[in-house]
Structure formats: C-alpha cells, structure tokens
C-alpha cells in the first residue's frame, strides 16, 4: 500500500471520528432526563438544580458546549465525569483492562478455531467434516452471545464447578487464576466471530483449490501440507483480516452484554452506568473510544490486505 493511500485512509478516519463526535454529542443531549436533577437528588429545589446546571455548564447552548468539549478532545482531554469529578480518560483506564483482555482473547480464540475449522472444511469439501463444520458455524452465528454465556456458566460453573461463574482476576493473582476467569467470557464473545471466520475461510480454501496452479501441483503429487503452507494460508488470511476489521465494533459492543452476564466491571459496565446517570462526558468518551478502535482496526485491515495482496493500488 502506498503512502498516498495511507494518508487518504487516515484523512477518511479523522472525518469519520469528527462526524461520530457530532452525532454522539447531539444524541446524548437528547436522552430524557437532566443530570443536574440526578446529582441534586430527589429533595433538591429548583434553585439547587439550576445552580448545579450552571456549575456544569449545562445551561449553555449545545453548540457552545460542543465546541468546548471538542477543543478539549483535541488537547487529549475528554472532560470530567459529572458524578465522580474524575477525568474521563482516568475512568476509562481504570476499567478498560478486563474488557481489552476479554476482547483480545476472543479474537485469538476466533482466529485459531475459525481459521483451522475453515481450512479443514475446505480441504474436505462435501465430506463429513465439511458438513459438521458448516453446521456448527451456522449454529455459532445464530446463537446470541448472552445465551451462550449462560449455557457455559451452567455447564462449567454450576453443574461442574470447574471454572468461576463471575468476576475477573488480574494476571498478578496468578496465571491460572487469571486464565480461569477469562476462558468463559472470551469463548462466549468470540464464538460468533470464529463461526464467521470458518465460513469465509472455507469458501476461500474451496476457491483456491479450483485454481489451475493448485490442480497442477496436486497432479504432480504435492502433499496437502505443502499446499496449505504455500497457497492456502496466504489466501485464507484475506477473509481473516477482513472479518476481524468488520467484527471489531461488534466485539466491543458485545462486551457490554458479556460483562453483565459474567459480573465483570469493565467498559461495558461504565457505559451502562453512564447512560443511566446521564453522565454526558463519559458516554461521549466511550463512544469516541469505540470509534477510534474501529477506525484503527480498519486501517490495519487495509495495511494487512495491501501486504497480503501486493496487487492493491491506490484508487
């Protein structure tokens, strides 16, 4: 990928972030309720509520509030929580590790399981393994992550006390303890992505096997392992990076539900509490963070695709 295309992608990403910031700011202010009333309490007088609104700057026009907030964002300041007086960045940083760990583990699991299953299915087209993988992939896509999480808890934590049902443990508490707390939520979150990867990889492998150069190699006695290493893995990487780029936002959004199922205090819990409290700065900071992650993931996908397929040129 050329430098020109990278610059264009970065410019497009910045435009997307700016539009997201506008939409988020406007939509957040349309949420019913007044954070000043929540902060003031049920017994507060009208004067108390107005005083708090003035202190928070909520009495200013929406456009003026947006300009002030955006100027702070450009300086790396997402504002302060209306309830804890902590900076939004600090609030996010305190709860981000569990969400990031579960999301990354879900991606790793999805790639390992999905790509492997897709390659096996593609190499055994029409066989029992192909039908089995295709059926499981369809079920994996159809099953809601929260339902799968409840099933996993029922089987591995309640019926058999092999793994903890709720909570999160830091790596400092021991690798075994940490791993036991992330296996179930990561599996529940990553299975649908693994199913998507399996289906795309299977289709890509099936397509590669019909290419003339592969048929020629097979006719000359090339082994299946050589074909996989020489041709299939590189071509299978194309759907992997594409699907992962598209799934980045879904995984972050799905983390909210998974954290609720497994009782984990992460970014999802922070976002839900912020919405219930009408904590505008935290909501805006969370949405902007998710938008940044999605934009970065799509940029990485473009770079990876350009590396995998050198024929890509600037459009």
């Amino acid at each position: 990928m050329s430098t020109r295309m990278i610059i264009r992608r970065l410019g497009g990403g910045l435009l997307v972030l700016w539009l997201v910031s506008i939409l988020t700011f406007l939509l957040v202010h349309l949420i019913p309720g007044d954070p000043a009333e929540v902060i003031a309490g049920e017994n507060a007088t009208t004067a108390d509520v107005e005083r708090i609104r003035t202190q928070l700057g909520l009495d200013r026009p929406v456009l003026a509030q947006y300009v002030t907030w955006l100027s702070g964002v450009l300086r790396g300041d997402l504002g302060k929580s209306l309830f804890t007086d902590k900076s939004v960045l600090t609030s996010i940083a305190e709860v981000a590790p569990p969400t990031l760990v579960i999301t990354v583990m879900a991606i790793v699991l999805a790639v390992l399981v999905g790509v492997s299953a897709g390659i096996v299915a593609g190499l055994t087209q029409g066989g029992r393994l192909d039908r089995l993988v295709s059926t499981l992939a369809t079920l994996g896509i159809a099953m809601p992550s929260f339902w799968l999480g409840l099933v996993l808890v029922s089987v591995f934590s309640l019926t058999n006390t092999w793994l903890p049902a709720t909570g999160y443990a830091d790596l400092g508490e021991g690798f075994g303890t940490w791993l036991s707390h992330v296996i179930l939520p990561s599996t529940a979150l990553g299975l649908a992505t693994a199913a998507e990867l399996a289906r795309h990889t299977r289709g890509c492998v099936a397509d590669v096997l019909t290419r003339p150069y592969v048929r020629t190699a097979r006719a000359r006695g090339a082994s299946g392992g050589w074909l996989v290493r020489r041709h299939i893995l590189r071509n299978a990487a194309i759907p992997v990076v594409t699907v992962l780029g598209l799934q980045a936002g879904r995984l972050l959004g799905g983390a909210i539900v998974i954290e609720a199922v497994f009782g984990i205090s992460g970014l999802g819990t922070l976002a839900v509490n912020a919405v219930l409290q009408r904590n505008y700065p935290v909501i805006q900071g969370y949405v902007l963070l998710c938008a940044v992650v999605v934009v970065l993931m799509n940029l990485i996908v473009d770079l990876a695709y350009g590396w995998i397929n050198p024929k890509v040129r600037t459009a």
Side-chain angles (χ1 to χ4, degrees), residues 78 87-104 168 189 248-249 251-260 263-277 279 281-294:
L78 297 180
S87 72
V88 173
L89 283 176
T90 300
S91 299
I92 291 176
E94 288 177 350
V95 298
T99 303
L100 295 179
V101 167
I102 291 172
T103 303
V104 171
Y168 176 79
L189 182 61
L251 289 173
L252 278 176
I256 296 179
V257 179
I258 293 301
E259 288 174 6
I264 298 172
S265 180
L267 287 175
T269 305
L270 177 71
V272 171
N273 291 336
V275 171
L276 295 176
Q277 296 173 336
N279 199 340
V282 175
I283 300 174
Q284 293 158 189
Y286 173 79
V287 174
L288 192 61
L289 172 67
C290 292
V292 169
V293 171
V294 172

Side-chain angles (χ1 to χ4, degrees), residues 168-188:
Y168 176 79
D170 292 325
L171 191 57
E173 298 180 35
F175 179 78
T177 303
W178 169 80
L179 186 62
S180 66
H181 281 81
V182 301
I183 287 179
L184 294 185
S186 299
T187 302

Side-chain angles (χ1 to χ4, degrees), residues 8-311:
R8 289 178 60 183
R9 292 288 190 271
L10 286 173
L14 291 175
L15 177 61
V16 168
L17 292 178
W18 177 59
L19 294 176
V20 167
S21 73
I22 294 175
L23 290 174
T24 303
F25 197 91
L26 294 177
L27 291 175
V28 162
H29 282 73
L30 291 177
I31 297 176
D34 187 346
E37 294 180 356
V38 178
I39 295 174
E42 297 180 357
N43 299 322
T45 63
T46 303
D48 292 333
V49 174
E50 289 300 323
R51 176 175 54 80
I52 293 175
R53 295 188 82 253
T54 301
Q55 290 176 351
L56 299 177
L58 299 177
D59 59 333
R60 302 167 60 203
V62 173
L63 180 59
Q65 294 182 49
Y66 173 74
V67 171
T68 301
W69 176 73
L70 182 61
S71 62
V73 170
L74 295 176
R75 298 192 305 270
D77 180 12
L78 297 180
K80 291 186 176 182
S81 169
L82 300 181
F83 292 83
T84 64
D85 204 35
K86 287 184 180 178
S87 72
V88 173
L89 283 176
T90 300
S91 299
I92 291 176
E94 288 177 350
V95 298
T99 303
L100 295 179
V101 167
I102 291 172
T103 303
V104 171
M105 289 288 290
I107 292 174
V108 172
L109 177 68
V111 171
L112 292 177
V113 174
V115 174
S116 301
I119 291 176
V120 170
L123 292 174
T124 59
Q125 296 176 63
R128 292 182 179 179
L129 283 177
D130 182 22
R131 292 194 294 270
L132 176 62
V133 170
S134 298
T135 301
L136 292 178
T138 301
L139 290 175
I141 294 173
M143 285 188 298
S145 59
F146 72 87
W147 180 84
L148 178 60
L150 293 174
V151 171
L152 292 175
V153 168
S154 177
V155 173
F156 293 97
S157 300
L158 300 180
T159 304
N160 304 285
T161 57
W162 295 335
L163 295 170
T166 59
Y168 176 79
D170 292 325
L171 191 57
E173 298 180 35
F175 179 78
T177 303
W178 169 80
L179 186 62
S180 66
H181 281 81
V182 301
I183 287 179
L184 294 185
S186 299
T187 302
L189 182 61
L191 185 63
T193 301
E196 287 280 0
L197 286 175
R199 292 184 63 180
H200 283 77
T201 304
R202 188 260 182 206
C204 187
V205 171
D207 178 65
V208 172
L209 291 177
T210 62
R211 302 289 175 85
Y213 56 84
V214 175
R215 292 203 300 267
T216 301
R218 277 184 159 181
R220 291 177 178 176
S223 65
W226 183 88
L227 288 174
V228 170
R229 293 191 301 271
R230 182 68 177 83
H231 297 293
I232 294 176
L233 284 180
R234 187 177 184 88
N235 287 277
I238 296 175
V240 168
V241 296
T242 302
V243 171
L244 286 180
L246 296 174
Q247 293 287 317
R250 190 198 70 80
L251 289 173
L252 278 176
I256 296 179
V257 179
I258 293 301
E259 288 174 6
V261 171
F262 289 92
I264 298 172
S265 180
L267 287 175
T269 305
L270 177 71
V272 171
N273 291 336
V275 171
L276 295 176
Q277 296 173 336
R278 285 83 171 175
N279 199 340
Y280 297 157
V282 175
I283 300 174
Q284 293 158 189
Y286 173 79
V287 174
L288 192 61
L289 172 67
C290 292
V292 169
V293 171
V294 172
V295 168
L296 287 177
M297 283 297 295
N298 280 276
L299 179 61
I300 292 172
V301 166
D302 289 337
L303 293 173
Y305 187 78
W307 175 75
I308 294 169
N309 185 1
K311 295 181 180 179

